[in-house]
Amino acid sequence: MKTPIKFLLPFFLVTGLLLSCRNDDNKNDHIEKVNADILELMREVYLWYSYLPANIDPSDYSNPVDFMEALRYPQFDRWSTVLTEEEFNMYFEAGEMIGHGIMPGLDASDNIRVVFVYPGTEAAEKGVKRGWIIQKANGTNLTASNFYSQMGEDEVGVTNNLTFLDNDGQPVSLSLTKEILEINPVLHSEVIEQGVDKIGYLVFQDFIDAANAELDAAFNNFVTAGINELIVDMRYNGGGSSDVALHLAGWLIGKDFGGEPFIYYEHNDILNKDPYNLDTMYTVPVKSNGLSLSRIFFIGTDNTASASELIINGVDPFIEAILAGSSTHGKPVGMYAIPIEEYVTLPVTFKYTNKNHAGDFYNGIQPTIPANDDITRDFGDREEASLKAVLDYIETGVLTSESTKSTAFRTKYIERREPIGQFLKAF
């Protein structure tokens, strides 16, 4: 059997590239066979293949997820994983999830708050907003330790009776039923007028194929409005498709720098030579109707990863890229998505650098404007700490004492336990 590399993660369709995986039809243990195929694959494509465990036995692991975690190079790799084919196709290709479409987090008092809610969901249509406190599920007080179990299985039809406190402190009781949701990656978009400035503000959550049309609508509005400043808020964006990242880069810098080198991929010494020759460079897409700015502000947190960091790092050689918030996740590497049986393996297979060959930010990209992620306030609220820090800087040109506090509160997030959780943040 030969297994094709279907996509890069960030995703680029690769044609004509085949890697061999072991096929032993005599094996009775299906999982052991899958694990063995993963091991053989990792010995060829893994960025750190020379650091794979020497005597690891595929039969010792009852599922491919645990086996892949055991194969990771611990010094750098926090990400190589395995998804089911269904999980992969639902999120990355169809742009769907099963759930309520709400991301939870803990405020400074350990209240569970709505960090964001996807537009178009039942929760959004019933008025749930970022900042609302989620007090109870089905009569049980919620905590960080029981939230996951109390919300029930990710299955269509699971209903939760939730008790919220809204942003005015008023109780709201809602019955919400889990369903297949179409993910809307643009969570918020508006033009903020501040003095003489027109500031485009975009909250962008998912680098999936469904994002391109929403990005087009937002940026066409920004261009029509004649914005002279831009804030791209990717504080929870865990990355994804670099086709989408390039599409976004076109809007950001493609008018002035289209055709210039944007990103370089560097693979291991097996894949960077014949017959693969995968080391490559991608250019900034030409976008004649894109923006023409001297700087772009980004908002990030430790949930800002992969393709999000690729954008920040990639824009920097061309115009001033100013990061507000806290340091980003620190994932200067990418993955191939490679099908094996009913799974899709996602091993780290390359590192990426920008036009100036800068990368290797395993400790994250550091903010110029340190600021809290204030989950008590909705997106677009001028008093929300991260947005306010940027708006104050645009207005004054200096960092305020509030935004440079060394004891800034770092929001704690309640993350999904499944491997898809490094990309999909909502429940």
Coordinates of all heavy atoms in Angstrom, one line a residue, residues 325-355:
G325 N -1.2 42.1 23.6 CA -1.7 41.0 24.3 C -0.6 40.3 25.1 O 0.1 41.0 25.8
S326 N -0.5 39.0 24.9 CA 0.6 38.2 25.6 C 1.3 37.4 24.5 O 0.9 37.4 23.3 CB 0.0 37.3 26.7 OG -1.0 36.5 26.1
S327 N 2.4 36.8 24.9 CA 3.2 36.0 24.0 C 2.3 34.9 23.3 O 1.5 34.3 24.0 CB 4.4 35.4 24.7 OG 4.0 34.6 25.7
T328 N 2.6 34.7 22.1 CA 1.8 33.7 21.3 C 2.3 32.2 21.7 O 3.2 32.1 22.5 CB 2.0 33.9 19.8 OG1 3.4 33.7 19.5 CG2 1.5 35.3 19.4
H329 N 1.7 31.3 21.2 CA 1.9 29.9 21.6 C 3.3 29.4 21.3 O 3.8 28.6 22.1 CB 0.9 29.0 20.8 CG 0.9 27.5 21.1 ND1 0.4 27.1 22.3 CD2 1.3 26.5 20.4 CE1 0.6 25.7 22.4 NE2 1.1 25.4 21.2
G330 N 3.9 29.7 20.2 CA 5.2 29.3 19.9 C 5.2 28.0 19.0 O 5.8 27.0 19.5
K331 N 4.6 28.0 17.9 CA 4.6 26.9 17.0 C 5.1 27.3 15.6 O 4.4 27.5 14.7 CB 3.2 26.3 16.8 CG 3.1 25.0 16.0 CD 1.7 24.5 15.9 CE 1.7 23.2 15.0 NZ 0.3 22.8 14.7
P332 N 6.5 27.4 15.4 CA 7.0 27.8 14.2 C 7.2 26.6 13.2 O 8.2 26.6 12.4 CB 8.4 28.4 14.6 CG 8.8 27.5 15.8 CD 7.5 27.2 16.5
V333 N 6.4 25.6 13.3 CA 6.4 24.4 12.5 C 5.1 24.1 11.9 O 4.1 24.5 12.4 CB 7.0 23.2 13.3 CG1 8.4 23.4 13.7 CG2 6.1 23.0 14.6
G334 N 5.1 23.2 10.9 CA 3.8 22.8 10.3 C 3.7 21.3 10.1 O 4.7 20.6 10.4
M335 N 2.6 20.8 9.7 CA 2.3 19.4 9.6 C 1.9 19.0 8.2 O 1.3 19.8 7.5 CB 1.2 19.1 10.6 CG 1.4 19.4 12.0 SD -0.1 19.5 12.9 CE 0.4 19.4 14.6
Y336 N 2.1 17.8 7.9 CA 1.4 17.1 6.8 C 0.1 16.4 7.4 O 0.2 15.9 8.5 CB 2.2 16.1 6.1 CG 3.3 16.6 5.2 CD1 4.5 15.8 5.1 CD2 3.2 17.7 4.5 CE1 5.5 16.3 4.3 CE2 4.2 18.2 3.6 CZ 5.4 17.4 3.6 OH 6.4 17.9 2.8
A337 N -0.9 16.4 6.6 CA -2.1 15.6 7.0 C -2.1 14.4 6.1 O -2.3 14.5 4.9 CB -3.4 16.4 6.8
I338 N -1.8 13.2 6.7 CA -1.6 12.0 5.9 C -2.5 10.9 6.4 O -2.5 10.5 7.5 CB -0.1 11.5 6.1 CG1 0.9 12.6 5.8 CG2 0.2 10.3 5.3 CD1 2.3 12.3 6.3
P339 N -3.4 10.4 5.5 CA -4.3 9.4 5.8 C -3.7 8.0 6.0 O -2.9 7.6 5.2 CB -5.3 9.4 4.7 CG -4.5 9.8 3.5 CD -3.5 10.8 4.0
I340 N -4.1 7.3 7.1 CA -3.7 5.9 7.3 C -5.0 5.2 7.8 O -5.4 5.5 8.9 CB -2.6 5.8 8.4 CG1 -1.3 6.4 7.8 CG2 -2.4 4.3 8.7 CD1 -0.1 6.3 8.8
E341 N -5.5 4.3 7.0 CA -6.7 3.6 7.3 C -7.8 4.7 7.6 O -8.0 5.6 6.8 CB -6.5 2.7 8.5 CG -5.4 1.6 8.3 CD -5.8 0.6 7.1 OE1 -6.9 0.5 6.8 OE2 -4.8 0.0 6.6
E342 N -8.5 4.6 8.8 CA -9.6 5.5 9.1 C -9.1 6.7 9.8 O -9.9 7.5 10.4 CB -10.7 4.8 9.8 CG -10.4 4.4 11.3 CD -9.7 3.1 11.4 OE1 -9.0 2.7 10.5 OE2 -9.9 2.4 12.5
Y343 N -7.8 6.9 9.9 CA -7.2 8.0 10.6 C -6.5 9.0 9.7 O -6.2 8.7 8.5 CB -6.2 7.5 11.7 CG -6.8 6.6 12.7 CD1 -6.7 5.2 12.6 CD2 -7.4 7.2 13.8 CE1 -7.3 4.4 13.5 CE2 -8.0 6.3 14.8 CZ -7.9 5.0 14.7 OH -8.5 4.2 15.6
V344 N -6.3 10.2 10.2 CA -5.4 11.2 9.5 C -4.3 11.5 10.5 O -4.6 12.1 11.6 CB -6.2 12.4 9.1 CG1 -5.3 13.5 8.5 CG2 -7.3 12.1 8.1
T345 N -3.1 11.2 10.1 CA -2.0 11.5 11.0 C -1.5 12.9 10.7 O -1.5 13.4 9.5 CB -0.8 10.5 10.8 OG1 -0.4 10.6 9.4 CG2 -1.3 9.1 11.1
L346 N -1.1 13.6 11.7 CA -0.6 15.0 11.6 C 0.8 15.1 12.3 O 0.9 15.7 13.4 CB -1.6 16.0 12.2 CG -2.9 16.0 11.4 CD1 -4.0 15.6 12.4 CD2 -3.2 17.4 10.9
P347 N 1.8 14.6 11.7 CA 3.2 14.8 12.3 C 3.8 16.1 11.9 O 3.5 16.6 10.8 CB 3.9 13.6 11.6 CG 3.3 13.4 10.3 CD 1.8 13.8 10.5
V348 N 4.6 16.7 12.8 CA 5.3 17.9 12.4 C 6.4 17.5 11.4 O 7.2 16.6 11.6 CB 6.0 18.5 13.6 CG1 7.0 19.6 13.2 CG2 5.0 19.1 14.6
T349 N 6.3 18.1 10.2 CA 7.2 17.7 9.1 C 8.1 18.8 8.6 O 8.9 18.6 7.7 CB 6.3 17.1 8.0 OG1 5.2 18.0 7.8 CG2 5.8 15.7 8.3
F350 N 7.8 20.1 8.9 CA 8.7 21.2 8.4 C 8.6 22.3 9.4 O 7.7 22.5 10.2 CB 8.2 21.6 7.0 CG 6.8 22.1 7.0 CD1 6.5 23.5 7.1 CD2 5.7 21.3 6.7 CE1 5.2 24.0 7.1 CE2 4.4 21.7 6.7 CZ 4.2 23.1 6.8
K351 N 9.6 23.2 9.3 CA 9.6 24.4 10.0 C 9.4 25.5 9.0 O 9.7 25.3 7.8 CB 10.8 24.7 10.9 CG 12.1 24.9 10.1 CD 13.2 25.3 11.1 CE 14.5 25.6 10.4 NZ 15.6 26.0 11.3
Y352 N 8.9 26.7 9.4 CA 8.7 27.8 8.4 C 9.4 29.0 8.9 O 9.5 29.3 10.1 CB 7.2 28.0 8.2 CG 6.4 28.4 9.4 CD1 6.3 29.8 9.8 CD2 5.6 27.5 10.1 CE1 5.6 30.2 10.9 CE2 4.9 27.9 11.2 CZ 4.9 29.2 11.6 OH 4.1 29.6 12.7
T353 N 9.8 29.8 8.0 CA 10.5 31.1 8.2 C 9.9 32.1 7.3 O 9.3 31.8 6.3 CB 12.0 31.0 8.1 OG1 12.3 30.6 6.7 CG2 12.6 30.0 9.1
N354 N 10.1 33.4 7.6 CA 9.6 34.5 6.8 C 10.6 34.8 5.7 O 11.6 34.2 5.5 CB 9.2 35.7 7.6 CG 10.4 36.3 8.4 OD1 11.5 36.1 8.0 ND2 10.0 37.1 9.4
K355 N 10.4 35.9 5.0 CA 11.2 36.4 3.9 C 12.7 36.5 4.4 O 13.6 36.2 3.6 CB 10.7 37.7 3.4 CG 11.6 38.3 2.3 CD 11.0 39.7 1.9 CE 11.9 40.3 0.8 NZ 11.5 41.6 0.4

